[in-house]
Amino acid sequence: MPVGDSPTVARRRVRLALREAREHADLTQAQVAEEMEWSLSKVIRIENGDVSISPNDLKPLLTYLGIRDKLTVAALVADARIARTRQRAAWFHTPEFRENLTDATRKLIEYENEAAQMRSYSVYYIPGPLQTPDYAKALMTRFEDELSSDQTQRRIEARQLRRESVLARAESGQMRILVMLDESVLRRTIGGAAAFAQQLRELRHLIENGAITMRMVPFSLDAAVTNNASFDLLSLGEGEVLYRETGLGDEMIEDRETIAKHRARYDKVWDEVADEATTRAFIDRQIRILENPQ
């Protein structure tokens, strides 16, 4: 068990081991619940990472799932104890945010606080943690038919809190952020010319101070990473997680095969797109056009 693991990382390691062991044993969650005399919802919440499992519950479950190696059992029990360590309540778990953010978004925020690296790809808009307040507000108003005013406000607040946390970690060297944007993202004037110009200046500032490394997928390149989804690929202490978003919903994915495909595709296209200097020059041109319209 790595020294300094957080409850987030330890809980993830336990729940993935349990899920993989259950699937390897060809058992359903309902069968596990029946054998352990638990509710089905408890099994689902443990495997989803919504709750931590106690060491006393974990030991008989490991036996049932066929995990009997003493070193493996000891490591997982130690992880379970770390996972249940009390932490100061995170802002995204407070009622006002829990009720207005999706489960996948809350998990993303939790993992962002632990990730050593984030690869972000967007085909629609500037990634959440890089958005200025005006840009975020303008973007959220596009969903006014789907979101209540309270949901909209909480999500705008969440964007800014995420931004503060992610950029603080990036600027201190705790996290490396790679950003790949479709050219359309750097042309789409969300919020109007003034707000979008401010957003582009903020991107340029983040590039200049080393908080992010950014490359653009130009229209001339016939090699999109994905056809219809934006995603964030986060590297944790062990393994990676994938947050994927479309215009209709979002999801957190931890399937190794799916993650590996996204990672391979991202890395391949990253080497084919416009480099950092070309991307920055494009941003500068867009700022000049917005500030001096003909």
Side-chain angles (χ1 to χ4, degrees):
M1 178 180 60
V3 176
D5 267 358
S6 71
T8 296
V9 173
R11 183 171 65 250
R12 176 176 181 270
R13 196 155 45 225
V14 171
R15 67 186 181 82
L16 290 183
L18 293 177
R19 187 175 69 189
E20 289 175 2
R22 176 181 62 76
E23 292 174 347
H24 181 73
D26 197 24
L27 295 169
T28 66
Q29 292 176 322
Q31 288 173 310
V32 171
E34 182 178 0
E35 175 67 23
M36 301 302 295
E37 297 183 347
W38 296 344
S39 67
L40 177 58
S41 65
K42 177 175 178 176
V43 177
I44 293 173
R45 294 182 72 195
I46 288 172
E47 289 196 5
N48 286 347
D50 297 326
V51 297
S52 300
I53 185 171
S54 71
N56 288 340
D57 280 344
L58 177 62
K59 292 175 184 177
L61 177 57
L62 292 176
T63 299
Y64 174 59
L65 295 177
I67 300 178
R68 296 183 174 86
D69 177 77
K70 291 183 178 179
L71 292 179
T72 301
V73 171
L76 289 172
V77 169
D79 279 336
R81 290 196 177 100
I82 292 175
R84 291 172 69 85
T85 300
R86 288 184 176 273
Q87 290 183 302
R88 180 174 61 84
W91 62 266
F92 50 88
H93 286 315
T94 57
E96 60 267 31
F97 287 107
R98 175 173 286 278
E99 294 170 3
N100 294 297
L101 298 175
T102 66
D103 290 344
T105 298
R106 292 200 306 274
K107 287 183 180 179
L108 170 65
I109 296 169
E110 186 171 16
Y111 286 142
E112 284 176 342
N113 292 331
E114 304 291 339
Q117 186 172 82
M118 178 167 66
R119 289 173 170 82
S120 185
Y121 172 69
S122 182
V123 294
Y124 300 117
Y125 42 76
I126 306 298
L130 308 183
Q131 294 175 8
T132 62
D134 287 345
Y135 184 95
K137 182 176 181 180
L139 186 63
M140 284 298 175
T141 58
R142 294 187 168 202
F143 300 96
E144 60 185 1
D145 293 338
E146 303 171 30
L147 302 174
S148 68
S149 59
D150 192 49
Q151 285 177 313
T152 299
Q153 183 58 37
R154 292 304 182 189
R155 293 190 182 194
I156 292 173
E157 292 175 13
R159 290 280 168 93
Q160 295 311 303
L161 290 169
R162 283 180 62 202
R163 171 185 168 80
E164 292 171 9
S165 175
V166 168
L167 293 184
R169 298 190 73 241
E171 291 169 355
S172 66
Q174 294 176 285
M175 176 195 285
R176 185 186 181 205
I177 302 177
L178 304 179
V179 182
M180 186 157 50
L181 301 180
D182 187 81
E183 181 177 332
S184 63
V185 176
L186 297 175
R187 290 181 177 275
R188 190 172 294 117
T189 54
I190 292 175
F196 190 58
Q198 180 188 40
Q199 175 66 75
L200 292 181
R201 286 193 294 271
E202 175 62 12
L203 289 181
R204 185 176 61 186
H205 169 71
L206 294 174
I207 293 169
E208 289 174 346
N209 71 10
I212 64 174
T213 301
M214 180 176 290
R215 292 186 179 183
M216 178 185 70
V217 183
F219 291 149
S220 59
L221 182 66
D222 185 21
V225 183
T226 61
N227 292 328
N228 60 358
S230 299
F231 66 85
D232 295 307
L233 184 62
L234 293 93
S235 301
L236 303 171
E238 291 184 5
E240 297 174 312
V241 296
L242 174 69
Y243 173 80
R244 188 163 58 188
E245 185 175 16
T246 67
L248 300 177
D250 61 349
E251 58 183 337
M252 180 61 70
I253 299 171
E254 297 188 87
D255 175 71
R256 289 190 175 93
E257 183 177 353
T258 301
I259 292 172
K261 289 179 179 178
H262 280 72
R263 170 70 177 272
R265 185 63 179 168
Y266 189 102
D267 290 347
K268 180 180 186 299
V269 177
W270 178 265
D271 291 332
E272 298 174 348
V273 299
D275 61 18
E276 289 91 334
T278 303
T279 300
R280 176 176 168 177
F282 183 89
I283 291 173
D284 287 341
R285 285 197 298 274
Q286 290 301 102
I287 292 173
R288 289 195 297 270
I289 291 172
L290 291 168
E291 292 180 337
N292 301 285
Q294 297 298 322

